[in-house]
Amino acid sequence: MCRSARGKRQAPFPPSTNDPTRESAERALTAARNVLAMAVVANQRRRERGQRELAFGIGLGIGEIALGNVGTQARLGFNVIGPTVNLSARIEALTKPLGIPLLASSDFAAACGEVLRHVGRFPLKGLASDQDVFTIAELG
C-alpha cells in the first residue's frame, strides 16, 4: 500500500505471468471485491455498536505507473505517480456522487476478463475528453 501525490491510498498489482495486464486487473478486482465484502461485515458490527459506518470508494485503472520513495530525508514516502494514478483517483472521486463504491476506467474494463457494467461518460478534471466509467455487475 502506498500513497498518491494527493494522499489517497494506492495499491499496485504487479503482474507475474505472460498476460500481465489481465492478471493485474484480475488481482485488483479480486482485492476490491474482498474489501467491499469486509466492509459489509465491519459496517454491520459498527451499526450494532452504534458507531458510524465506514464509507469509501475504489477507483480502478490499469497502465504504467512510477513507484518509489518520494520526498526528503525528513519526510520520505512510498508513492505512485503517473497518468494511470491520476485517472484512477479522478474515477474514485466519482464514487460518492454516483453512490457506487467501485468504479473502473475503460482500459481496466477491457483488461479484467469479465464484463463490467457501463455507468456512463463523465468529464474528469485534468482530462481533455469525457471518460467511460464502469462498475461490477453486482453493484448495478
Side-chain angles (χ1 to χ4, degrees):
M1 189 70 66
C2 43
R3 293 189 181 275
S4 69
R6 293 182 39 202
K8 299 282 186 170
R9 297 204 185 280
Q10 304 284 323
F13 289 87
S16 62
T17 67
N18 292 332
D19 193 359
T21 302
R22 183 171 180 155
E23 181 198 358
S24 293
E26 288 172 348
R27 290 174 58 207
L29 196 52
T30 297
R33 281 187 166 113
N34 289 340
V35 167
L36 291 173
M38 287 186 286
V40 168
V41 173
N43 281 334
Q44 176 61 37
R45 290 183 185 147
R46 293 178 69 82
R47 280 190 300 277
E48 291 168 358
R49 296 178 186 146
Q51 297 173 320
R52 184 173 55 92
E53 289 188 19
L54 302 173
F56 60 90
I58 299 171
L60 297 174
I62 196 151
E64 292 189 18
I65 61 170
L67 64 145
N69 292 322
V70 178
T72 66
Q73 287 242 334
R75 186 172 181 183
L76 188 64
F78 191 72
N79 294 302
V80 292
I81 58 174
T84 299
V85 175
N86 294 338
L87 176 60
S88 298
R90 302 293 189 244
I91 289 172
E92 181 273 330
L94 289 175
T95 60
K96 186 174 182 178
L98 295 177
I100 303 171
L102 188 154
L103 296 172
S105 70
S106 58
D107 287 343
F108 186 92
C112 74
E114 67 179 79
V115 176
L116 300 185
R117 182 178 64 84
H118 186 251
V119 176
R121 281 183 73 75
F122 300 92
L124 299 176
K125 182 179 176 182
L127 296 171
S129 60
D130 292 358
Q131 300 293 307
D132 288 305
V133 175
F134 297 80
T135 193
I136 52 179
E138 59 263 36
L139 294 179

